[in-house]
Amino acid sequence: MSSASVRYFIITDESEIFRVSINKFKRLLKATSEEKLERFAGKRVRVAEICVKLENRKPIEVIRAIYYYLHFNEKDTLDEEYLIKSRDIVFAAGDEISSIFIEEEQGNVINAQQEFAKRQRDHAVWWKPNMQLERNILDASIDEFKCKRL
């Protein structure tokens, strides 16, 4: 029997990979003092969200990988304002969804709003790992690379 699971990883500036349980990650997203990460206070951290296929509860392959930034405030909790701003940037850059809300081209006038949002998303919201780091993250997601847990 196969199913799917999501794995979360936080990557430090030194490219150290930490696995974060789903429950801990959910508590982080609530941005309450209940879940703090003191080592990341006031920092932007890289996150990898990896969806894996499971067979008999064991990860066998990566289905998709998404890499994005999270910002932590000085109180060691997730910066909610930045999270909302990031969501809005991704929405504005989306190909299918946002095109519904953007006016159609008229003559020689082109609405570049979506292109600017894509550039902003690719710089401020999403990140791309180098080949070795990506290999390590993907291997960690299927339990073939040992990493620490937060």
Side-chain angles (χ1 to χ4, degrees), residues 63-127:
I63 297 171
R64 78 169 151 88
I66 302 171
Y67 304 102
Y68 52 89
Y69 294 108
L70 288 179
H71 291 251
F72 288 86
N73 59 32
E74 297 298 330
K75 297 176 186 172
D76 312 333
T77 61
L78 198 63
D79 186 333
E80 282 184 281
E81 256 183 60
Y82 190 83
L83 190 61
I84 292 167
K85 182 179 175 185
S86 295
R87 182 203 60 207
D88 292 346
I89 292 168
V90 169
F91 181 76
D95 293 324
E96 297 83 23
I97 297 172
S98 64
S99 62
I100 295 169
F101 301 103
I102 296 175
E103 295 176 19
E104 293 182 24
E105 293 180 27
Q106 293 183 352
N108 292 334
V109 179
I110 298 172
N111 187 337
Q113 180 181 6
Q114 189 174 15
E115 286 305 312
F116 291 134
K118 283 180 183 180
R119 287 184 196 154
Q120 187 176 14
R121 175 202 63 201
D122 293 347
H123 175 72
V125 181
W126 291 352
W127 64 280

Side-chain angles (χ1 to χ4, degrees), residues 42-55:
K43 293 185 179 181
R44 175 176 85 164
V45 298
R46 297 177 289 174
V47 174
E49 181 178 311
I50 313 295
C51 184
V52 296
K53 182 178 179 180
L54 303 174
E55 279 204 11

Side-chain angles (χ1 to χ4, degrees), residues 20-32:
V20 183
S21 73
I22 290 173
N23 289 333
K24 185 175 189 107
F25 197 78
K26 285 179 181 178
R27 288 191 307 268
L28 280 173
L29 290 179
K30 288 182 182 177
T32 65

